[in-house]
């Protein structure tokens, strides 16, 4: 498979997107290091070649940062994992901006309310940050918890989404 990679500048630093031939996100995150993204792919994702180019996902990320929080929802994503992981990643996409869930609430959302550790693992193994918004999941006490791209980025994204939801710009 051939993939296309594009890095854009955002208020949270460089953001890189890796997409397949159908413009589906394979991996994304706040880095300019393509190798860091490739490291988040599963062994089942065999890439023959990676080329630089324009991606629909990067355009959606720029729209998100310009205030259109819904822009990322229309971007297709493909991730390989267990049935539970795939269900979890799908459930993450249904969390509305400005309405974060706890890990317990997220576990309930994907149909397994007792699977709090699994919920955390699903977030940690998410290769398609922003498009599969694992940043919208918090600890039970409301604290941020971890984030593969840094807690500062997670906090910034949550603040952006909360401000947009309150009508602030």
């Amino acid at each position: 498979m051939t993939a296309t990679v594009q890095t854009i500048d955002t208020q949270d630093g460089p953001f890189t997107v890796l997409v397949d031939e159908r413009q589906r996100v394979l991996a994304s995150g706040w880095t300019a290091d393509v190798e860091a993204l490739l490291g988040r792919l599963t062994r089942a994702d065999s890439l023959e070649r990676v080329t630089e180019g324009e991606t629909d996902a990067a355009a959606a990320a720029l729209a998100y940062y310009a205030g259109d929080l819904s822009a990322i929802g229309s971007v297709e994503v493909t991730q390989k994992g267990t049935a539970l992981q795939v269900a979890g990643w799908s459930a993450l996409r249904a969390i509305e901006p400005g309405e974060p869930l706890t890990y317990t609430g997220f576990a309930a959302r994907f149909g397994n309310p007792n699977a709090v550790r699994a919920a955390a693992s699903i977030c940690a193994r998410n290769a398609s940050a922003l498009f599969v918004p694992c940043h919208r999941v918090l600890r039970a006490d409301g604290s941020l918890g971890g984030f593969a791209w840094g807690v500062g980025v997670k906090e910034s994204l949550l603040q952006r989404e909360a401000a947009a939801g309150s009508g602030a710009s």
Side-chain angles (χ1 to χ4, degrees):
M1 166 176 36
T2 299
T4 303
V5 66
Q6 182 179 7
T7 301
I8 58 173
D9 291 322
T10 73
Q11 292 93 321
D12 295 317
F15 182 76
T16 301
V17 180
L18 182 71
V19 301
D20 68 9
E21 295 97 341
R22 294 174 41 196
Q23 291 288 317
R24 298 177 303 181
V25 175
L26 298 167
S28 55
W30 287 266
T31 182
D33 182 1
V34 176
E35 292 299 320
L37 285 186
L38 292 174
R40 296 193 61 83
L41 297 175
T42 67
R43 288 192 172 133
D45 295 309
S46 57
L47 297 179
E48 297 165 10
R49 190 171 52 141
V50 176
T51 61
E52 289 188 26
E54 299 288 315
T55 68
D56 296 342
L62 288 170
Y64 170 90
Y65 273 96
D68 181 3
L69 302 182
S70 67
I72 59 173
S74 62
V75 174
E76 286 190 59
V77 172
T78 182
Q79 295 192 86
K80 293 177 176 66
T82 66
L84 185 65
Q85 288 170 329
V86 171
W89 293 326
S90 179
L92 283 169
R93 294 202 79 185
I95 301 172
E96 293 295 325
E99 298 179 20
L101 295 175
T102 63
Y103 285 102
T104 303
F106 169 52
R109 178 79 58 100
F110 68 81
N112 202 338
N114 296 321
V116 176
R117 284 185 183 209
S121 176
I122 287 166
C123 289
R125 295 185 193 285
N126 173 32
S128 299
L130 187 61
F131 305 101
V132 177
C134 56
H135 65 272
R136 296 180 185 154
V137 181
L138 308 172
R139 290 183 174 158
D141 65 2
S143 63
L144 297 179
F147 189 58
W149 305 105
V151 175
V153 172
K154 182 174 184 171
E155 183 174 34
S156 173
L157 295 170
L158 290 170
Q159 288 175 350
R160 176 175 288 101
E161 293 174 357
S166 68
S169 50

